Amino acid sequence: MTQQQPIAVLGGGSFGTAFANLLAENGQRVRQWMRDEEQAEAIRTRRENPNYLKGVRIHDGVEPTTDLAATLAECEMIFVAVPSSALRKVLDGRSEELAGKMLVSLTKGIEAQSFKLMSQVLEEIAPKSRIAVISGPNLAREIAEHELTATVVASEDDDLCAQVQDALHGRTFRVYASGDRFGVELGGALKNVYAIIAGMAAALGMGENTKGMLITRALAEMTRFAVQLGANPMTFLGLAGVGDLIVTCSSPKSRNYQVGFALGEGLTLEDAVARMGETAEGVNTLKVLKAKADELQVYMPLVAGLNAILFGGRTLEQVIGALMSGEPKTDVDFIPTTGF
Ligand SMILES: NC(=O)C1=CN([C@@H]2O[C@H](COP(=O)(O)OP(=O)(O)OC[C@H]3O[C@@H](n4cnc5c(N)ncnc54)[C@H](O)[C@@H]3O)[C@@H](O)[C@H]2O)C=CC1
Ligand SMILES: O=C(CO)COP(=O)(O)O
């Protein structure tokens, strides 16, 4: 890849916009693909995304476009930042256009019917491409506002990881590499569910002890689930596991946390999602995760509790009562001592 060749970012939302700017600030020429021509034109003329990350200036090196075929033809490295519900629709049928390209998923979700992570969907759509994922404690606005940030790029393809690190490393953004694509990606998808619970707890004025308990038991639960699927539990101790869990469960800037907060204030799920107005992957992830946990018989009381509140007609008080009076358990029981 030469400095001259543009890099593509697919998605006109907050994360696509933050990543497009990050790349451009590093001297890359960027094609940011979005479906809405009005939005693209507004970015072209005003150098600001009219719908996301208001107040953030879009770098001159970012060229907004609605021509997906031209974008894919022109770029070798392609970052995908559309919501999980849209990813397959956006790229399906483009296998030949994507052959040999470097595809990097930024999307943190799970496909509903297949339980596939987004890089697995990409693999299916574009089997001849090189695939990586990025995940970590990465609130879009903080990246855009140059808060010091770290992330993880994960792929079995070491050269691809190195090229992504090279493209993204900058004064305020640091990229660690990992060979555990599945674990890194799973961590990013699962933590969204617990951020909803953390937002609810915050709205109810729960204490700091509660927050510590919640985050730690969430880590236990997601790691237990991941181990059952064959992931390396050590990955959950890294940026894409506990790092992302902490930021998303602590920050009112997280959209999943915002949905939880609104639920805690008494809004219905529909109203909470509508009030927030952006993507909150945790809602859909919760549904597929609950079904998968039941199928695999993995003990996930937090997931079951949130599911009972949102879709089972239980009250928060009933669920908290059940969680606190559950049978006594061992603290760290989710990391096998051998095999990894
Ligand atoms: N915003 C953040 O801080 C972070 C977001 N992510 C992940 O990035 C992904 C994208 O999220 P955001 O950009 O934050 O969402 P967003 O809600 O800010 O924007 C979503 C964008 O996708 C577009 N879109 C929706 N359906 C589409 C379709 N069928 N075709 C083309 N475009 C479509 C929307 O028009 C919008 O521009 C999510 O999976 C999220 O979990 C990951 C890390 C941080
Ligand atoms: O993934 C994120 C931070 O790492 C963003 O979280 P939200 O999608 O909840 O805003």
Side-chain angles (χ1 to χ4, degrees):
M1 190 182 58
T2 66
Q3 189 75 351
Q4 262 56 51
Q5 188 162 45
I7 293 180
V9 177
L10 310 186
S14 1
F15 212 41
T17 302
F19 256 69
N21 246 12
L22 189 63
L23 288 158
E25 285 163 0
N26 281 354
Q28 310 287 350
R29 292 193 301 131
V30 181
R31 302 281 178 269
Q32 187 186 359
W33 173 83
M34 55 202 73
R35 59 180 170 172
D36 181 356
E37 181 50 46
E38 224 174 278
Q39 180 180 327
E41 185 53 26
I43 297 176
R44 250 176 242 123
T45 52
R46 285 191 258 145
R47 302 317 296 175
E48 186 176 329
N49 189 321
N51 306 315
Y52 302 94
L53 300 182
K54 295 256 173 67
V56 170
R57 187 179 186 281
I58 307 297
H59 194 284
D60 292 340
V62 176
E63 189 182 314
T65 173
T66 52
D67 189 339
L68 185 56
T71 304
L72 300 183
E74 205 182 358
C75 302
E76 288 303 309
M77 185 180 280
I78 299 160
F79 290 90
V80 185
V82 292
S84 62
S85 54
L87 186 141
R88 190 183 282 278
K89 266 180 261 168
V90 168
L91 290 174
D92 219 6
R94 296 187 179 269
S95 160
E96 285 315 308
E97 290 162 84
L98 295 170
K101 308 266 177 177
M102 295 177 267
L103 291 183
V104 187
S105 170
L106 305 176
T107 303
K108 291 175 174 172
I110 303 176
E111 192 173 57
Q113 264 73 43
S114 65
F115 204 80
K116 285 195 165 134
L117 297 172
M118 292 304 112
S119 75
Q120 296 171 323
V121 174
L122 287 175
E123 233 164 25
E124 205 179 296
I125 294 172
K128 288 180 273 182
S129 64
R130 302 169 67 185
I131 292 175
V133 303
I134 280 189
S135 197
N138 295 158
L139 294 164
R141 180 166 284 279
E142 293 207 353
I143 292 175
E145 292 177 347
H146 305 112
E147 297 291 350
L148 300 183
T149 298
T151 198
V152 182
V153 58
S155 175
E156 303 76 3
D157 181 338
D158 292 340
D159 175 66
L160 173 54
C161 286
Q163 292 202 51
V164 171
Q165 284 177 303
D166 190 42
L168 289 171
H169 260 307
R171 213 170 37 82
T172 60
F173 197 78
R174 187 166 167 77
V175 186
Y176 292 82
S178 164
D180 184 11
R181 167 157 61 103
F182 182 64
V184 163
E185 197 171 16
L186 193 58
L190 297 188
K191 60 83 196 175
N192 286 328
V193 172
Y194 302 104
I196 297 176
I197 301 175
M200 280 173 113
L204 295 172
M206 289 183 179
E208 302 299 322
N209 287 351
T210 313
K211 190 180 187 180
M213 169 175 71
L214 189 56
I215 293 178
T216 316
R217 293 318 298 168
L219 182 66
E221 193 170 297
M222 61 198 263
T223 309
R224 188 183 307 119
F225 178 78
V227 166
Q228 188 75 19
L229 289 185
N232 182 348
M234 299 314 282
T235 300
F236 286 75
L237 299 181
L239 286 164
V242 68
D244 201 3
L245 187 65
I246 289 171
V247 81
T248 325
C249 288
S250 312
S251 174
K253 293 175 195 161
S254 152
R255 286 89 39 93
N256 288 289
Y257 180 103
Q258 285 170 32
V259 166
F261 198 93
L263 290 167
E265 288 179 315
L267 270 70
T268 63
L269 177 59
E270 220 177 26
D271 289 345
V273 169
R275 181 169 95 178
M276 196 265 309
E278 295 184 18
T279 305
E281 294 274 10
V283 177
N284 286 330
T285 303
L286 172 66
K287 293 182 202 158
V288 290
L289 187 55
K290 171 70 171 60
K292 198 68 175 177
D294 288 349
E295 181 194 323
L296 298 175
Q297 305 243 301
V298 185
Y299 175 62
M300 300 186 85
L302 293 171
V303 162
L306 183 61
N307 190 71
I309 294 167
L310 296 191
F311 308 115
R314 293 295 182 88
T315 65
L316 195 56
E317 290 69 27
Q318 285 171 330
V319 167
I320 291 171
L323 285 171
M324 291 308 288
S325 60
E327 65 178 57
K329 291 277 177 192
T330 308
D331 183 15
V332 181
D333 63 350
F334 49 89
I335 298 190
T337 47
T338 55
F340 287 96

